[in-house]
Amino acid sequence: ESDTASELSFQLGRHKKSPSTGSHSSDMASVSSVSGSVLSVYSGDFGSVDAQGTVEFALDYDEKNREFQVHVSQCRGLAVVDERKGRSDPYVKTYLLPDKARMGKRKTSVKKRTVNPVYNEVLRYKIEKMVLLIQKLNLSVWHNDPLGRNSFLGEIEIDLASWDWSNRKLNWYPLKPRSLSAINGVDHRGVMSLSIKYVPPGSLGPRNPPSGEVHIWVKDVKDLLQLRPSGVDSFVKCYVLPDTSKKSYQKTRVIKRDTNPVFNHTIVYDGFHTEDLKDACVELTVWDHEKLTNHFLGGIRLGLGTGLSYGISVDWMDSTQEEVAFWQEMMLAANEWIEGLLPLRSL
């Protein structure tokens, strides 16, 4: 095995909390932060109202009957679909993902002319606990249209692998817009907003910088999986592969109880030669912080996705088309911040 990969030593990342202050403000201020939801709501068949309001439900697993139970209590403050008549006829629908078809959907009754429907219904799935723990619960609220043009009113997705089963109480959850990945049928884990730039050696003046630098500005993540009623305590880890040493490792602070955490954290790696960009890969992963063990939520890998690093076949050089395009854009535009909005995936 060639030892070229081990020669690549990226210097310790220098990280700054907020790039929009201090000496970096001049070149960073021009980068507008991506805001708003990833996608408001499907248009077309699904109507086009914005998701709003909350839903109250509880989850339980009945060991004796081997049954998963979703107790749907009520919703509040739903969007109005028929503006003219000022009405919505909402019902709640659940699926177990990833295999929607196998376990099928469950639905509550339809409540007419209300944006604050009360259901008090239990939706039941006969399923082994072991199987349940590798599923996600997708719970969505819809307006029932007699002509079949049902309108989407909002959804919530819960990762059952890390659900706290001792919690059987009813809890309120905000309804979220439909995610982009849901439309593409992709496993949806959230979307990271970030900017990157490459500063070639000597590009800012004689021996400035002495070696090439990759700057990574992690702005925020939208729509992380809901692990607990209170949300999720998340942080982002960064490595520049193939280097997995302590020198390569960087992380952000933990943002508590928020499925839309704002990090605004910059990491700088130096020690880059321009040709290293073909063989290196920036891996950013998002984790839920827990006392005993951190729970992986999703990640992205920025690189050329060739499957090779310094001539060696590696499984981590697997960037998606979007990730590759983002990295290439950075390689082509030296000293410029490139902005991206990339879906998190399982790595």
Side-chain angles (χ1 to χ4, degrees):
E1 198 173 271
S2 149
D3 61 357
T4 337
S6 60
E7 290 167 17
L8 179 70
S9 82
F10 301 105
Q11 308 296 306
L12 183 62
R14 305 190 301 276
H15 58 282
K16 295 171 283 297
K17 284 262 169 61
S18 168
S20 47
T21 57
S23 62
H24 278 240
S25 60
S26 56
D27 56 357
M28 292 225 185
S30 59
V31 184
S32 65
S33 179
V34 178
S35 63
S37 58
V38 178
L39 191 77
S40 180
V41 144
Y42 290 124
S43 50
D45 293 350
F46 298 96
S48 55
V49 292
D50 281 344
Q52 65 180 59
T54 52
V55 57
E56 187 187 41
F57 62 90
L59 305 183
D60 195 11
Y61 186 77
D62 179 344
E63 303 278 356
K64 194 166 69 119
N65 295 311
R66 294 179 174 164
E67 187 178 72
F68 173 48
Q69 301 171 348
V70 185
H71 175 191
V72 181
S73 168
Q74 57 181 324
C75 300
R76 267 195 211 138
L78 297 175
V80 173
V81 174
D82 189 334
E83 287 288 354
R84 206 163 44 87
K85 297 188 179 136
R87 71 179 274 184
S88 294
D89 299 343
Y91 66 94
V92 175
K93 177 167 79 174
T94 57
Y95 280 111
L96 289 177
L97 303 174
D99 191 354
K100 262 171 139 173
R102 195 170 65 86
M103 293 304 297
K105 67 182 172 200
R106 305 284 186 272
K107 296 198 300 198
T108 65
S109 55
V110 175
K111 300 298 176 189
K112 296 270 173 102
R113 293 186 182 80
T114 178
V115 291
N116 302 305
V118 175
Y119 298 101
N120 282 327
E121 295 176 40
V122 180
L123 307 178
R124 302 168 192 275
Y125 289 87
K126 283 279 185 205
I127 184 172
E128 295 293 336
K129 184 86 178 264
M130 290 298 288
V131 180
L132 183 66
L133 291 182
I134 53 171
Q135 314 279 320
K136 292 193 194 80
L137 170 71
N138 178 277
L139 180 147
S140 52
V141 185
W142 296 78
H143 161 73
N144 181 62
D145 184 285
L147 303 173
R149 283 177 60 84
N150 293 344
S151 298
F152 172 83
L153 298 176
E155 72 176 1
I156 172 89
E157 214 159 272
I158 302 262
D159 188 351
L160 298 175
S162 38
W163 183 253
D164 173 9
W165 293 98
S166 65
N167 166 40
R168 299 190 178 88
K169 295 196 299 290
L170 287 166
N171 282 292
W172 287 98
Y173 300 85
L175 288 167
K176 297 186 170 185
R178 258 274 134 105
S179 59
L180 253 165
S181 327
I183 295 170
N184 304 331
V186 179
D187 171 22
H188 180 63
R189 291 170 171 270
V191 182
M192 181 181 288
S193 165
L194 74 164
S195 288
I196 55 174
K197 79 170 165 182
Y198 177 59
V199 182
S203 61
L204 304 176
R207 297 190 57 75
N208 181 17
S211 67
E213 297 179 346
V214 170
H215 295 235
I216 303 145
W217 177 7
V218 179
K219 297 177 185 175
D220 61 50
V221 180
K222 292 263 190 310
D223 228 11
L224 284 173
L225 290 169
Q226 181 104 22
L227 297 188
R228 296 177 283 283
S230 60
V232 60
D233 299 344
S234 64
F235 67 98
V236 178
K237 278 187 202 177
C238 184
Y239 281 101
V240 178
L241 305 173
D243 188 354
T244 54
S245 71
K246 270 211 165 104
K247 281 197 305 189
S248 169
Y249 174 61
Q250 287 294 318
K251 66 183 177 52
T252 67
R253 68 192 189 284
V254 176
I255 305 287
K256 296 209 162 167
R257 295 186 290 281
D258 197 343
T259 52
N260 299 298
V262 175
F263 296 102
N264 209 18
H265 185 107
T266 318
I267 301 164
V268 178
Y269 287 96
D270 46 19
F272 268 95
H273 301 292
T274 303
E275 59 273 20
D276 288 328
L277 298 176
K278 297 198 304 293
D279 295 287
C281 169
V282 169
E283 181 183 84
L284 292 159
T285 50
V286 187
W287 297 79
D288 173 49
H289 177 67
E290 292 221 43
K291 279 197 190 76
L292 297 175
T293 173
N294 294 321
H295 184 86
F296 174 73
L297 297 171
I300 58 176
R301 286 192 180 128
L302 305 174
L304 290 185
T306 56
L308 295 172
S309 173
Y310 298 96
I312 299 166
S313 176
V314 290
D315 57 2
W316 46 258
M317 204 48 137
D318 66 347
S319 299
T320 63
Q321 278 179 305
E322 285 172 279
E323 291 164 353
V324 170
F326 188 47
W327 191 247
Q328 283 174 327
E329 201 180 337
M330 178 200 76
M331 289 171 71
L332 292 169
N335 292 314
E336 274 183 46
W337 283 106
I338 308 298
E339 245 186 300
L341 194 61
L342 294 171
L344 298 178
R345 58 188 176 98
S346 51
L347 299 178

